[in-house]
């Protein structure tokens, strides 16, 4: 039990915060829908429920993914977070379908709902809370990308640096971006229905919220399916290849792999060295390279093997210092 709590402390903090906030929001929206019958509020209740369930699952998955490798699972549990995210999108997909179905029913049979002040108050509170979570997730994205900026940067730069974020942080940011946009849509729909008697606006808003949720489902599914299979991190592969090629004792690189599993990277390198070196000297080379590579962001383990230099250049990169500095500046240790 102590080990479980220790792992949970290592879980993704933005997803835990988002799960708690969305649970509170879902309760508020559910109460508002119960008293008003507003279909846009119904869609928003489903949206917040789906987000809350997702984010709690992701928090647990991100914590379990940090479990140390065991003899039975020597490669570790890094892909657990991807598998959990794949399961979590099923919940969002179901909620998306229900939101679209209910919205379409309201468009075909528009009915007036009451509780104008209640709806606006709850949606206003929800939008503010969602923006807070979105800001926190954006700040975490910038931190994971090696960018330390305050102000509006987490909101303006969060989306552009999304690819550099961990799967859990990425999911939270995307879900809360859609949740904030959905809350604003529902807010506008309530105003249109009340002041202009456009009752179908609430149904249209519900359909649009459902479609946005489906967009998140598609993006999250594709990205985590690649992560569950194990994909190459091209940027880090080039970065680490230049680090290895820069070493004065490395004559060539036969093969290099950088596989991304969840939040972690597994590196495998086969380098060519001078065949006249002793085993002790080669072991020193291995220790030196392993220390440098393990200090790179996200690298969990490294396997380095050596072969004698065959005089045929396999690695087509460059050993020039300016290229190495360029990669190092992009990917902080």
């Amino acid at each position: 039990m102590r080990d479980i709590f220790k792992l949970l402390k290592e879980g993704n903090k933005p997803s835990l915060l988002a799960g708690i906030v969305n649970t509170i929001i879902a309760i508020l929206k559910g109460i508002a829908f119960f008293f008003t019958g507003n279909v846009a509020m119904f869609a928003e209740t489903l949206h917040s429920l789906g987000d809350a369930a997702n984010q709690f699952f992701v928090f647990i998955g991100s914590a379990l993914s940090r479990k140390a490798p065991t003899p039975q699972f020597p490669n570790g549990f890094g892909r657990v977070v991807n598998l959990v995210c794949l399961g979590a999108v099923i919940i969002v997909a179901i909620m998306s379908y229900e939101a679209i179905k209910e919205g379409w029913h309201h468009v075909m049979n528009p009915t007036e709902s009451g509780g104008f002040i209640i709806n606006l108050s709850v949606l206003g509170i929800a939008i503010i809370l969602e923006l807070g979570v979105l800001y926190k997730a954006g700040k975490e994205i910038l931190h994971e990308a090696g960018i330390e900026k305050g102000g509006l940067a987490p909101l303006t730069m969060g989306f552009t640096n999304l690819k550099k974020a961990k799967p859990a942080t990425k999911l939270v940011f995307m879900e809360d971006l859609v949740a904030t946009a959905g809350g604003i849509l529902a807010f506008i729909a309530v105003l249109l229905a009340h002041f202009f008697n456009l009752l179908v606006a609430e149904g249209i808003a519900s359909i649009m919220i459902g479609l946005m949720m489906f967009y998140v489902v598609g993006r999250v599914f594709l990205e985590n399916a690649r992560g569950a299979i194990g994909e190459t991190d091209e940027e880090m592969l080039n970065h680490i290849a230049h680090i290895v090629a820069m070493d004065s004792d490395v004559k060539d690189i036969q093969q290099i792999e950088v596989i991304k599993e969840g939040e972690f990277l597994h590196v495998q390198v086969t380098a060519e060295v001078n065949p006249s070196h002793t085993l002790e000297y080669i072991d020193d080379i291995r220790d030196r390279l392993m220390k440098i590579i393990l200090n790179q962001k996200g690298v969990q383990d490294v396997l380095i093997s050596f072969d004698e230099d065959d005089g045929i250049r396999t690695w087509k990169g460059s050993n020039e210092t300016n290229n190495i500095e360029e990669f190092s500046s992009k990917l902080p240790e």
Side-chain angles (χ1 to χ4, degrees):
M1 185 62 71
R2 185 181 298 174
D3 292 339
I4 293 175
F5 282 117
K6 187 177 179 181
L7 283 174
L8 289 177
K9 288 181 181 179
E10 299 287 326
N12 184 268
K13 299 300 186 297
S15 61
L16 176 61
L17 173 65
I20 295 170
V21 170
N22 275 292
T23 299
I24 296 170
I25 292 173
I27 293 171
L28 291 174
K29 290 177 179 176
I31 293 172
F33 169 69
F34 178 79
F35 285 107
T36 66
N38 186 289
V39 70
M41 188 64 75
F42 172 76
E44 277 296 288
T45 302
L46 291 181
H47 192 175
S48 296
L49 279 173
D51 285 353
N54 252 356
Q55 287 149 357
F56 280 127
F57 276 128
V58 169
F59 169 71
I60 295 171
S62 66
L64 293 177
S65 70
R66 295 178 179 275
K67 183 176 171 60
T70 64
Q72 187 177 1
F73 301 100
N75 291 328
F77 298 83
R79 301 189 194 191
V80 168
V81 67
N82 296 117
L83 296 174
V84 170
C85 287
L86 286 174
V89 297
I90 297 174
I91 299 172
V92 181
I94 294 171
M95 299 294 186
S96 305
Y97 169 74
E98 290 296 330
I100 293 172
K101 185 180 74 172
E102 190 65 27
W104 179 254
H105 176 74
H106 187 79
V107 169
M108 293 294 99
N109 304 282
T111 56
E112 187 175 358
S113 59
F116 175 69
I117 300 299
I118 294 174
N119 287 327
L120 288 188
S121 300
V122 170
L123 287 171
I125 293 170
I127 290 169
I128 293 171
L129 291 175
E130 294 284 10
L131 271 173
V133 175
L134 183 65
Y135 185 88
K136 176 68 176 175
K139 194 172 182 180
E140 188 70 16
I141 287 173
L142 295 187
H143 175 72
E144 291 169 4
I147 303 170
E148 299 298 335
K149 286 190 176 181
L152 294 176
L155 297 176
T156 58
M157 299 177 64
F159 198 80
T160 56
N161 289 277
L162 205 55
K163 288 184 177 180
K164 298 177 182 178
K166 296 175 182 178
T169 309
K170 190 181 301 183
L171 177 62
V172 172
F173 184 85
M174 289 179 63
E175 285 191 338
D176 278 284
L177 181 64
V178 171
T180 304
I184 294 171
L185 273 176
F187 193 93
I188 293 171
V190 171
L191 290 174
L192 291 174
H194 182 78
F195 288 109
F196 299 98
N197 203 33
L198 294 174
L199 302 181
V200 295
E202 294 174 1
I204 293 172
S206 181
I207 292 172
M208 292 177 68
I209 291 167
L211 290 174
M212 288 192 298
M213 291 166 70
F214 265 126
Y215 169 75
V216 172
V217 167
R219 280 287 302 268
V220 173
F221 176 82
L222 290 175
E223 291 186 11
N224 284 281
R226 292 197 298 266
I229 295 170
E231 65 175 332
T232 298
D233 189 318
E234 293 289 347
E235 193 171 13
M236 281 299 291
L237 185 147
N238 287 320
H239 175 62
I240 292 172
H242 277 78
I243 289 175
V244 175
M246 182 177 64
D247 192 282
S248 58
D249 288 308
V250 174
K251 302 302 181 182
D252 195 9
I253 301 174
Q254 280 189 9
Q255 182 183 15
I256 180 167
E257 292 181 357
V258 179
I259 304 299
K260 188 175 184 180
E261 294 186 356
E263 302 175 2
F264 306 108
L265 300 173
H266 301 277
V267 180
Q268 185 170 340
V269 180
T270 302
E272 293 183 3
V273 294
N274 192 320
S276 63
H277 289 323
T278 64
L279 287 175
E280 182 181 2
Y281 189 86
I282 292 174
D283 193 52
D284 290 339
I285 299 173
R286 177 186 285 107
D287 292 341
R288 182 170 68 237
L289 290 175
M290 286 190 69
K291 183 177 180 181
I292 297 172
I293 296 172
L294 283 171
N295 279 331
Q296 304 307 303
K297 185 177 179 180
V299 176
Q300 186 180 50
D301 56 67
V302 183
L303 178 62
I304 301 177
S305 57
F306 295 98
D307 200 354
E308 62 179 335
D309 182 19
D310 57 9
I312 302 172
R313 188 166 182 79
T314 304
W315 166 244
K316 302 300 182 183
S318 171
N319 282 347
E320 293 179 6
T321 305
N322 60 339
N323 285 342
I324 295 162
E325 289 175 349
E326 177 185 351
F327 278 103
S328 298
S329 64
K330 288 183 180 178
L331 298 164
E333 296 183 7

